[in-house]
Amino acid sequence: MPRTQPSAPATPGRVRRLLDEVRPAVAAAKQRRPEGDSRLPEGGSRTGPWRRGPVLTVCALLLGLLLPLHGTLTDRAGLGSLVETFLPWFGLFVPVLLAGALLRRSATALVALLLPVTMWLHLFGGLLGDRSQEGGDLTVVSHNVAAENRDPVGTARELAASGADLLALEELTDRARGTYEKALAKAYPHHVVRGTVGLWSRLPLSDTRPVDVLRGMAGPLAETLRPEDMPVEPPRALRTTVATGKGPLAVYVAHLGSVRVTAGSGFWTDSRDAGATKLAAAVAAEHDKRVLVLGDFNGTTDDRAFDGLTSRLRSAQDVAGAGFGFSWPARFPVARIDQILVRGVEPKSAWLLPATGSDHLPVAARIGW
């Protein structure tokens, strides 16, 4: 059996020559490899489209769960209320996540985005179109005229020009009250004012009384005061009866407590929430079948604080409006905190009026029997 010739020793020079011969072949192979080849590149591994973007996928799923389950969020430091105030705007995260998924070429993230898209459309898709109808018996308007309004005469003139049968005003000051009464006297022969809220009407009013929606004094300051020394706040809500051609209509006008963002307590809503609870109790005890609630709630109807009201009343904007009807702030509205809620009557249309000297937009609706 012939013996094989022994191989030459692997000297450094010979190794270099072998590498020089191999390099052109490797480079040519890289150039010939088609685009999108799934073979592993030098120095690492390449994941497939179903394994890319895990963070984007998780964010999409969390967003999709937040939208229908926002009521389960803790309201510690007002977190739940804050999220619910701006809940429709969470839909803006969808195109952001979509852009990230396309950039990462993540099929998993794209599929996960179907959940928040479906949930958002389920909650708010019905508000995108125009739901208004023809007809109606009364036109009602509600407006927070703002205590710092520098043009109450112009505001009154614009509101009277709306043709409203009922005109609810909130945040009236003692100084501006006479101005509104004088400017609106011709168009509205009937009106009532209690504290900082009032109702002007073309129809007779009766059985007017204040409604307690005040939280009252609380905290360290209240503990140092005797009951007789507690400051007396003016009423911020009223109830009256409007005599219509089709029977009585119970009307509530309310301006609920303000909300605050503070370093210590976060999104502070205690005053507003207490007022919402008291207003809901008053409406629940109302004997008239037809009820209209107008006012500045300092919150949206998505907020859990108003469950006691929204379970008994319908939003005219949701039923018969066009779009979301955001009313605050007037320069760039991001939330509808001015409400028209009804029971026993049918909203036919709802809309926003042009801006006045207030930081709120007036809200209007046409209702019928």
Side-chain angles (χ1 to χ4, degrees), residues 125-179:
L127 302 179
L128 298 178
D130 186 353
R131 303 169 298 283
S132 61
Q133 307 173 41
E134 297 293 332
D137 299 291
L138 289 177
T139 299
V140 300
V141 168
S142 178
H143 188 33
N144 180 326
V145 294
E148 66 277 7
N149 192 329
R150 297 182 179 180
D151 185 21
V153 175
T155 297
R157 186 185 307 115
E158 292 180 30
L159 293 174
S162 69
D165 300 292
L166 302 176
L167 178 59
L169 302 185
E170 303 90 45
E171 208 166 293
L172 292 168
T173 63
D174 291 337
R175 181 180 58 184
R177 173 177 171 175
T179 302

Side-chain angles (χ1 to χ4, degrees), residues 35 37 58 114 141 266:
E35 187 176 346
D37 197 327
V58 170
L114 292 175
V141 168

Side-chain angles (χ1 to χ4, degrees), residues 142 170 197 209-215 236-240 250-257 270-286 291-299 301 305-313 337-343:
S142 178
E170 303 90 45
V197 298
R209 60 180 182 268
V211 177
D212 179 18
V213 295
L214 299 174
R215 176 173 180 258
R236 292 170 65 103
L238 65 81
R239 185 265 184 216
T240 191
V251 177
Y252 290 78
V253 181
H255 183 196
L256 300 183
D270 291 7
S271 178
R272 184 207 64 187
D273 294 351
T277 300
K278 291 184 175 182
L279 181 60
V283 171
E286 176 61 55
V291 179
L292 177 65
V293 180
L294 308 162
D296 173 9
F297 286 11
N298 276 307
T301 53
F306 304 108
D307 287 350
L309 287 168
T310 55
S311 63
R312 297 181 175 91
L313 304 162
I337 64 175
D338 301 276
Q339 309 295 345
I340 299 177
L341 307 181
V342 302
R343 184 185 79 190

